[in-house]
Amino acid sequence: APWGGAEEPKPPEPPKQESSCISCHAQLEGAALEPTKHVDDVHFERGLSCHDCHGGDPAAGLDGDPSAAHDERKGWTGKPKRLQIPLFCAKCHADAAFMKRFDPHTRVDQLSEYRTSTHGKRNAAGDDRTAVCVDCHGVHGIRAVKDPRSRVHPTQVADTCARCHNDTVLMARYGLQTNQPAAYKTSVHARALYDRGDLSAPTCNDCHGSHGAAPPGVQSVAQVCGTCHTREATLFREIEKKKGLNLAPCIQCVVCHDNHAVQPPTDEMVGVGPKSTCTSCHGPDDPPYRAADKMGRSVQGLSARLAEAHKLLDRAERAGMEVSADRFALRTGQNQLVEARVLAHSFDEERFLAAVREGMGSADAGVTAAERAFAELRQRRLGLAVSLVVIAGAGFRKTAWLLEQLFQVEVSKSAVQ
């Protein structure tokens, strides 16, 4: 129970100061009216108001004189120009002492990170069309990141980035394509985020960064993917060291999986078939091509054998046989199939095939167990059939005897009559 049995009374909130900004703008239209609609703005909810960003005197205009509120001698700055917006926001967000008043753990390095980004570098060079704070967070009505209505909530990030990166005219200035947002929406990452509600699934800023947004270079692609896919990234590093390879020039992950339109991996990606990614670099005369062929056939064979074992055990279970222990044992083969799929990133043929062989042993055991269950089922059915015949035969003899007795009784009655 809470100490003392009751919560301590909360101190009364200080009365909000009447603002001429709100009273005046509430009488206007269009863009001038818009700021008054956002009482759920994250800044407003923490006690900040118009003058905290734009300066001026919020009480001076209550007498109906807007110019008094817009007095430059009282810090009025008005609407900042786009090139000034990063510094404008950083007046508070780069001030550690000020930000600790609201959250002692909040970051204050957003401006320095922004200056390292492609957007920030262009802004510093005088490009007023590149993205600044308000393009991502909004101007008024800014909401906390965890708020699903926020432009920078994980479910909104791709659409926020697309506001610029879908603009063919704007992107043409920088020689960039505009297919990234649409490609991402088809990816396995997007399906996890939007269809399954998995907020840990990556979106644009997970790979490119938020304030320090920049396209990952060739040298860092595996590091970006490796932040989530750690085992695969480790295997890449191991094979580079073991065989003295430099896999960076092949852009690693992107070659096989793409970058924005990442699709669910399949076993057909390993091998030399029509859906293989190995053949995009290796030809029939290349030793890795032959290794890929062997690895592809083996992993697909294991997958098919496991599917066969599962199907047979399912049939046996539906027929009433007890196969739960065999189904559980089959998990070893399934785990080895997953292990083999991961080991494809090691390019180590022997290690890969060893995992497949272990999985195949488990799959074969599952098929054998199912066949044994079916043999036992046939024996049971045969035994049941024999029993029914015997029972039926015994019943027939007893019925014949009773009929004979009844016949004798009837004959005796006729003789008496």
Side-chain angles (χ1 to χ4, degrees):
W3 180 84
E7 294 183 0
E8 294 184 5
K10 296 180 180 179
E13 294 185 2
K16 291 186 180 295
Q17 181 182 20
E18 187 177 358
S19 171
S20 63
C21 307
I22 302 298
S23 59
C24 180
H25 278 262
Q27 304 174 42
L28 303 178
E29 298 179 352
L33 172 65
E34 187 65 22
T36 67
K37 298 179 179 179
H38 301 291
V39 295
D40 57 350
D41 179 279
V42 68
H43 299 119
F44 188 81
E45 288 180 339
R46 284 162 174 74
L48 302 175
S49 191
C50 314
H51 64 284
D52 291 295
C53 291
H54 299 285
D57 186 349
L62 292 174
D63 58 0
D65 181 11
S67 61
H70 296 172
D71 190 342
E72 293 183 358
R73 291 172 298 178
K74 295 186 177 181
W76 169 252
T77 59
K79 178 182 178 181
K81 296 180 180 178
R82 282 186 61 83
L83 287 175
Q84 300 171 337
I85 286 176
L87 290 174
F88 181 87
C89 297
K91 287 188 301 182
C92 294
H93 285 277
D95 186 336
F98 179 82
M99 295 304 296
K100 283 182 180 178
R101 292 168 49 190
F102 304 95
D103 182 358
H105 303 291
T106 192
R107 293 176 55 182
V108 292
D109 61 346
Q110 295 94 334
L111 178 63
S112 59
E113 275 209 354
Y114 175 75
R115 289 304 185 202
T116 69
S117 72
T118 302
H119 301 141
K121 290 176 181 178
R122 291 187 180 278
N123 172 270
D127 185 350
D128 64 355
R129 298 197 181 190
T130 193
V132 293
C133 315
V134 296
D135 293 306
C136 300
H137 294 277
V139 181
H140 303 101
I142 298 173
R143 297 183 173 90
V145 175
K146 63 182 180 181
D147 188 328
R149 299 172 297 170
S150 170
R151 289 185 181 183
V152 291
H153 186 266
T155 58
Q156 305 288 345
V157 167
D159 291 329
T160 296
C161 296
R163 294 175 68 241
C164 291
H165 286 275
N166 265 351
D167 187 334
T168 55
V169 176
L170 178 60
M171 291 297 105
R173 290 171 53 91
Y174 306 108
L176 298 177
Q177 297 179 338
T178 57
N179 62 343
Q180 302 93 334
Y184 170 76
K185 290 293 182 72
T186 69
S187 72
V188 64
H189 297 144
R191 287 196 286 276
L193 177 61
Y194 300 123
D195 298 344
R196 299 199 299 274
D198 183 357
L199 298 182
S200 67
T203 186
C204 312
N205 62 323
D206 291 292
C207 298
H208 295 279
S210 299
H211 300 97
V218 170
Q219 299 290 337
S220 60
V221 167
Q223 302 295 342
V224 171
C225 300
T227 57
C228 294
H229 301 282
T230 53
R231 180 80 191 285
E232 290 81 356
T234 300
L235 290 170
F236 258 108
R237 300 287 77 82
E238 288 178 355
I239 195 63
E240 282 185 312
K241 184 176 180 180
K242 180 179 179 180
K243 295 191 174 183
L245 301 174
N246 178 17
L247 298 175
C250 73
I251 322 182
Q252 303 173 21
C253 317
V254 175
V255 167
C256 297
H257 298 282
D258 206 338
N259 49 3
H260 298 100
V262 178
Q263 298 302 309
T266 64
D267 292 334
E268 289 77 11
M269 292 175 67
V270 179
V272 296
K275 296 182 180 180
S276 166
T277 58
C278 306
T279 55
S280 61
C281 297
H282 301 287
D285 297 329
D286 192 352
Y289 180 94
R290 294 188 289 275
D293 184 25
K294 189 174 182 179
M295 293 167 67
R297 284 186 285 105
S298 64
V299 73
Q300 291 170 38
L302 172 57
S303 180
R305 188 64 167 169
L306 284 168
E308 180 185 4
H310 279 294
K311 183 178 179 180
L312 290 173
L313 288 173
D314 286 344
R315 284 178 53 198
E317 188 174 55
R318 288 195 299 270
M321 304 303 294
E322 173 53 49
V323 293
S324 57
D326 301 310
R327 290 172 64 88
F328 184 82
L330 199 58
R331 291 184 179 181
T332 300
Q334 199 66 46
N335 291 338
Q336 289 306 118
L337 175 60
V338 174
E339 175 71 0
R341 289 166 174 168
V342 174
L343 287 175
H345 300 87
S346 72
F347 303 106
D348 189 329
E349 181 181 352
E350 288 307 313
R351 190 177 177 186
F352 179 91
L353 293 178
V356 171
R357 283 193 296 269
E358 184 175 346
M360 190 63 77
S362 178
D364 289 341
V367 171
T368 300
E371 291 173 345
R372 185 170 57 247
F374 284 123
E376 182 181 346
L377 180 62
R378 286 192 295 270
Q379 289 179 352
R380 290 182 181 184
R381 288 176 174 175
L382 178 60
L384 178 60
V386 171
S387 299
L388 289 175
V389 169
V390 171
I391 292 171
F396 176 78
R397 288 194 296 273
K398 186 173 182 179
T399 301
W401 180 82
L402 288 172
L403 290 174
E404 182 178 358
Q405 295 301 312
L406 288 173
F407 177 76
Q408 292 295 335
V409 170
E410 291 298 325
V411 170
S412 299
K413 286 182 179 180
S414 299
V416 170
Q417 291 175 353

